Every structure is written in structure tokens, then in C-alpha cells.
Amino acid sequence: TRYRRDLPRRGIQLLANLRPGDLVQLMIRQSATTFSLPVDPSVPIVLFCAGTGLAPMRGFIQERAMQIQSGRKDIGKILLFFGCRDPGKDYLYFETDLGKWIELGVVDVRPAFSRAPEKSEGCRYVQDRIVRDGDEVRKYFREKAKFFTCGGTAVAAGIREACIKLIEEDCGSRDGAVEKFKALQKERYATDIFG
């Protein structure tokens, strides 16, 4: 099987249609070493992803949920920006663990539905939701949160631009915003980008 650019989008469907004994060619790739939860569990985190980019974010949320359930009191808050097409078709894990973690107060989810923006406060893409909820992103930034992005190159580029736009609103200069974003990338921003 050759690599196909649309595989991340179709990957879930492909896996769902497999039968016992089917052969699948795949590649396992190590994520960046900086793409891990902060050692200090009290550090808040902001997660940006779309589609299958939710997988590592779900692991982060699960880890924090387990820490809370074990009785730890000093667990940092989580703000998740998640994009998908339709809440009724591909809002992954909302009916199971993600929904439970929302109820437990482990994570605050800010969805963006590209085919149903009216169900995500008018936001079609993750970057739209970041800009719309910019005050909340700024609040997490002031609280020394660590930021993570996981997704395809187009998603990551949109998220980067939305973050730079928020910084530019505060500092008044595109060049200054780009420099501040670069500094953030060195200190508190990790990415796992594919495609």
C-alpha cells in the first residue's frame, strides 16, 4: 500500500473496516521529546487538535483524570480545542471518556465543527475557536500553561496564525507577535505535526 495524503482523514474508517487476519502496512513514529505532559502536574495545559490529532491529547487528559481520581488536589486545568466535521458523526469520545472527563471537570472542551458551525458558536475550524475564545487562551498563558498542537500541517498552520493574531492584538505589531510566538515555542509550546 502506498502512502496516501488522505489517510489521516480516512484512517478511522479504514481501521473500522478491517477484519481479523487483514494485513496493514503502517509506520510508527516517535513523537517529539518535548511532546509530553509537564513534570509538574499543577501546570495547566492548552491542547489544540483536529481529527486524529486528538489521540495524544486524550492520553494527556486521561493521565490528569487518573491523578485527580487518585486524590491529588494540585492538578492543572486543561483547555482542549478540538475540531471535526460533525458533532453527530465524528466528535470522537464525546459519548464515552471525553464526556465523562468534562463532567468531572478534568477538561474544558471548545469544539469547532466545520460542517455544523452553528453547533460550535459559529466556529468552523480550531483557529476560529481560538480567536473567539482568545480571552481564555490569554488567561491560560498568564497562568504559565504549556501549549500543545497535534494534527496535519494545514491545521497546525492555522493554529499558529490564530495564536500570532492573539499576541498581535496585545502587542500591536505583527513582527513583535511572531517573535513572541517563537519564544513561546522554545519554552512552552510543543507540536506533533503530520501529513
Side-chain angles (χ1 to χ4, degrees):
T1 303
R2 289 192 231 199
Y3 174 78
R4 294 174 46 174
R5 288 186 103 21
D6 63 343
L7 188 57
R9 186 177 19 221
R10 297 178 40 171
I12 292 171
Q13 181 183 10
L14 173 77
L15 293 174
N17 291 326
L18 291 175
R19 294 179 308 229
D22 285 350
L23 296 177
V24 178
Q25 183 178 349
L26 56 100
M27 178 179 74
I28 298 173
R29 156 179 83 79
Q30 188 77 17
S31 65
T33 57
T34 59
F35 202 86
S36 58
L37 279 172
V39 174
D40 179 356
S42 69
V43 173
I45 56 176
V46 179
L47 312 173
F48 305 119
C49 62
T52 57
L54 179 62
M57 308 310 193
R58 183 173 165 245
F60 290 170
I61 299 164
Q62 182 179 32
E63 175 72 21
R64 291 269 171 106
M66 291 173 65
Q67 290 170 336
I68 290 169
Q69 290 171 328
S70 72
R72 291 202 61 165
K73 302 286 185 210
D74 60 341
I75 304 301
K77 299 178 289 183
I78 301 173
L79 181 60
L80 170 66
F81 289 85
F82 174 63
C84 64
R85 290 183 179 153
D86 185 294
K89 295 180 182 172
D90 55 0
Y91 193 3
L92 302 174
Y93 307 107
F94 181 72
E95 298 295 325
T96 57
D97 50 7
L98 189 57
K100 181 177 89 173
W101 297 329
I102 292 168
E103 283 181 27
L104 291 172
V106 175
V107 62
D108 180 1
V109 179
R110 306 296 172 97
F113 303 121
S114 62
R115 303 268 168 87
E118 69 281 358
K119 294 181 181 177
S120 54
E121 301 189 42
C123 300
R124 186 175 297 275
Y125 302 110
V126 173
Q127 57 266 34
D128 301 331
R129 192 64 191 240
I130 293 167
V131 172
R132 185 199 174 284
D133 296 344
D135 289 341
E136 196 69 15
V137 175
R138 288 181 184 98
K139 179 179 149 227
Y140 273 75
F141 177 79
R142 287 189 304 272
E143 293 172 357
K144 305 294 185 212
K146 186 168 180 186
F147 294 80
F148 297 89
T149 293
C150 185
T153 53
V155 170
I159 291 167
R160 177 185 184 276
E161 282 306 308
C163 290
I164 289 172
K165 182 176 180 176
L166 291 180
I167 297 167
E168 185 176 358
E169 288 173 6
D170 291 341
C171 76
S173 153
R174 170 80 182 177
D175 291 341
V178 169
E179 288 307 310
K180 286 185 178 193
F181 184 76
K182 286 179 184 177
L184 177 65
Q185 285 178 298
K186 291 177 185 173
E187 300 166 8
R188 298 190 279 149
Y189 188 91
T191 59
D192 191 0
I193 300 169
F194 48 84

